[in-house]
Amino acid sequence: PWQGPGPIVCPILLYHRIAEPPFPNDYYVTPAAFREQMQALNDWGYTAIPISLLVSAITEGARLPEKPVVITFDDGDITVYTTAFPILRQFGFVGVNYLVANRLGVEGYMNVSQLQELAAAGWEVGSHSMTHADLRTSPDLDREIRQSRLVLEAALGVPVETFAYPYGLGNDNESIVARVRANYTAALGLGPYLEQNFDRLYYLARRPVLYGWDLERFAYFLPWSVPAP
């Protein structure tokens, strides 16, 4: 169905590392839990969409699946390629990588060829700043916000049109938001909202998925779900 322009109900999920943690750590989701969550999304009728399609629906209107979800990954950890990618591919899902520009190819993070393979499979790329600095105290906002986009586009050869605030911080600073608006079509932050709208276009709400969640907890933050019996 055609939806928008205007408010769109669409959960945006946030992951970091898909691996067994050395100790309990909120930034990790185990491969078994991630597979279970993706299986549940599939069983509940969700379709993973790129962030560009959600932004188009909010701003211009677009045809969306009945139950859209955006699946995002921050930082560019190598486990997104080695573990999350094959699992998502099994369900026909795509993701969005928010990359820290100075970590391209660094040990433990994805390299250019891996990211280009994901892009060829329908994944999108956004900027997560140049160095993952707290933008509120950064001495060089232009480098963190604008230059990070240029570096990623030059290295990967794909458009970088959206931004994710490091730590989810900076959206309350007019100077930061003005720079983000000047360089990106939308930006992502953190929040519990399921309705994404034009007023929050530069701080779309993402729900971090944390270590140790069972399916009932996972389902609690989704608009259309049937918790496992």
Side-chain angles (χ1 to χ4, degrees):
W2 184 269
Q3 296 190 50
I8 303 293
V9 175
C10 179
I12 305 176
L13 304 178
L14 167 58
Y15 294 90
H16 288 84
R17 295 174 177 83
I18 310 302
E20 295 284 349
F23 51 84
N25 185 321
D26 281 346
Y27 289 96
Y28 284 76
V29 171
T30 68
F34 184 74
R35 179 181 295 277
E36 183 181 44
Q37 291 164 6
M38 297 305 105
Q39 179 71 63
L41 289 177
N42 185 70
D43 293 345
W44 297 336
Y46 282 82
T47 301
I49 64 171
I51 190 66
S52 62
L53 181 55
L54 175 59
V55 172
S56 292
I58 295 169
T59 58
E60 304 171 358
R63 295 196 181 279
L64 293 179
E66 183 180 357
K67 299 178 181 180
V69 61
V70 179
I71 303 171
T72 70
F73 300 86
D74 277 5
D75 302 344
D77 192 81
I78 187 63
T79 60
V80 176
Y81 177 78
T82 59
T83 308
F85 176 38
I87 293 172
L88 289 177
R89 187 166 48 189
Q90 290 177 9
F91 298 104
F93 290 171
V94 294
V96 185
N97 277 309
Y98 283 96
L99 303 174
V100 180
N102 73 348
R103 297 181 187 175
L104 282 181
V106 172
E107 184 176 359
Y109 294 90
M110 289 180 281
N111 61 35
V112 168
S113 63
Q114 291 163 341
L115 288 161
Q116 288 175 333
E117 182 180 348
L118 292 176
W123 288 49
E124 291 185 345
V125 169
S127 171
H128 197 35
S129 80
M130 182 68 76
T131 68
H132 207 284
D134 183 338
L135 300 180
R136 301 170 304 170
T137 57
S138 171
D140 194 345
L141 287 176
D142 184 73
R143 181 169 183 261
E144 296 292 343
I145 296 171
R146 186 178 71 90
Q147 289 294 330
S148 62
R149 174 182 183 171
L150 298 178
V151 167
L152 291 171
E153 288 183 334
L156 301 173
V158 299
V160 176
E161 298 180 344
T162 57
F163 185 81
Y165 295 90
Y167 312 105
L169 300 173
N171 64 301
D172 56 352
N173 181 298
E174 291 184 6
S175 177
I176 293 171
V177 174
R179 288 174 183 266
V180 174
R181 284 181 176 273
N183 290 281
Y184 299 92
T185 61
L188 281 67
L190 304 173
Y193 307 109
L194 294 172
E195 181 184 274
Q196 314 292 347
N197 59 49
F198 192 80
D199 289 342
R200 290 196 292 265
L201 188 61
Y202 283 87
Y203 200 76
L204 297 173
R206 290 193 294 174
R207 168 60 64 175
V209 182
L210 305 181
Y211 176 80
W213 280 14
D214 59 17
L215 273 189
E216 184 175 1
R217 182 73 181 274
F218 181 69
Y220 180 79
F221 297 106
L222 296 170
W224 314 286
S225 58
V226 180

